[in-house]
Amino acid sequence: MQNKLIHGFHAVSTRIKRFPDSVVELYVNAARLDQRMRELMKLAEAQGTKVVLVDEKRLDGLAGGGRHQGVAASIDAGKSYISLDDVLDDLSEPPFVLVLDGITDPHNLGACLRVADAMGVHAVVAPKDKSVGINATVSKVACGAAEVMPYVMVTNLARTLREMKEREIWIAGTAADAHVDLHHFTGGTGPIAWVLGNEGEGMRRLTREHCDVLVSIPMFGSVESLNVSVATGIVLAESRRQRTMATPKG
């Protein structure tokens, strides 16, 4: 069993609703038994989850000093595994995927998952090496998105990109030196996977070579770069806009 700890009301409640059998124990601040918390406890107990009342100090320790909002949970991460094929095989619309190459900051990953969920992305893909996994900080920052957004960590990212191409998914990488800018890129309506690298080095060379097209984000101010979660939000929102505009009004 791959136990790990998550905290924060959104992260915990979403996990219980999405993967109830993965929640091993629920830890609740005994001093905060308001209606919202009682409903969460009732939901957990209905799923057969053990509820443990603890004090604030115990929760502070479990959450590692993070803002836990009076609740934390021990989960079996192995029971929420999903493969990219599982996701793609079940779609009734063109695939919309986010690939994160080398994101190691949990705050950035949490923010990326949150915006991916908001823009209707079907899955987020990342290499297992040099990438952060779903931990308590990621879950907290994502505000529940980490518990509903399929986060697929793959052993060989280049091979996964090739497999997506075999499914006719267009691989679009972001790069400052690209010859096409986002405002003139019209490929967002079909099957697409957006690839973003880390802020320091960008995409790795092999990842870049597997992209079908490189796209830059137009910059009109004095700053030369964007936080990866901000850049993610910009490209995903543009693809979502194109998809919405291309859909006939019913």
Side-chain angles (χ1 to χ4, degrees):
M1 187 162 59
Q2 307 170 43
N3 273 20
K4 69 176 183 178
L5 207 290
I6 63 173
H7 60 268
F9 196 90
H10 287 293
V12 173
S13 61
T14 306
R15 166 66 65 162
I16 292 175
K17 294 173 184 175
R18 179 75 172 180
F19 300 109
D21 63 336
S22 73
V23 184
V24 180
E25 287 186 330
L26 177 68
Y27 305 99
V28 173
N29 187 345
R32 186 198 161 174
L33 297 180
D34 53 28
Q35 182 176 351
R36 189 185 189 198
M37 191 66 76
R38 289 198 302 271
E39 289 176 354
L40 178 62
M41 293 169 62
K42 183 178 180 180
L43 178 63
E45 290 169 344
Q47 301 291 350
T49 301
K50 181 180 179 181
V51 178
V52 182
L53 297 180
V54 297
D55 57 25
E56 184 85 9
K57 185 176 181 181
R58 173 79 185 282
L59 275 173
D60 288 343
L62 289 171
R67 286 189 64 243
H68 49 70
Q69 299 175 301
V71 62
S74 173
I75 66 170
D76 179 0
K79 290 187 176 181
S80 59
Y81 174 77
I82 188 169
S83 72
L84 184 59
D85 285 333
D86 291 335
V87 176
L88 298 179
D89 288 344
D90 198 38
L91 295 181
S92 57
E93 61 178 339
F96 190 16
V97 179
L98 172 64
V99 179
L100 298 174
D101 186 24
I103 307 303
T104 58
D105 186 294
H107 292 88
N108 278 335
L109 176 57
C112 287
L113 292 175
R114 189 173 183 180
V115 73
D117 177 66
M119 291 298 104
V121 166
H122 298 124
V124 177
V125 178
K128 289 182 179 179
D129 62 313
K130 298 181 180 179
S131 293
V132 63
I134 303 295
N135 57 29
T137 300
V138 172
S139 294
K140 184 67 173 62
V141 174
C143 292
E147 315 310 319
V148 296
M149 174 58 61
Y151 183 58
V152 183
M153 299 192 78
V154 299
T155 303
N156 189 317
L157 182 58
R159 181 173 62 208
T160 300
L161 293 175
R162 289 194 298 270
E163 291 170 352
M164 282 195 278
K165 286 185 179 187
E166 291 173 359
R167 288 178 174 264
E168 299 184 344
I169 298 174
W170 194 248
I171 310 298
T174 54
D177 60 348
H179 297 300
V180 179
D181 70 65
L182 186 63
H183 292 171
H184 295 88
F185 176 66
T186 57
T189 59
I192 189 170
W194 279 106
V195 186
L196 288 95
N198 66 42
E199 295 165 43
E201 301 175 359
M203 292 180 289
R204 291 177 292 183
R205 178 188 58 79
L206 190 57
T207 302
R208 182 177 174 125
E209 290 176 355
H210 278 79
C211 292
D212 294 304
V213 62
L214 295 178
V215 181
S216 65
I217 297 175
M219 305 288 285
F220 301 97
S222 58
V223 298
E224 297 180 355
S225 63
L226 295 170
N227 176 283
V228 65
S229 62
V230 174
T232 296
I234 291 173
V235 299
L236 295 184
E238 174 58 19
S239 282
R240 177 51 60 189
R241 184 193 68 80
Q242 291 183 19
R243 286 178 170 231
T244 301
M245 296 300 292
T247 303
K249 293 184 178 180

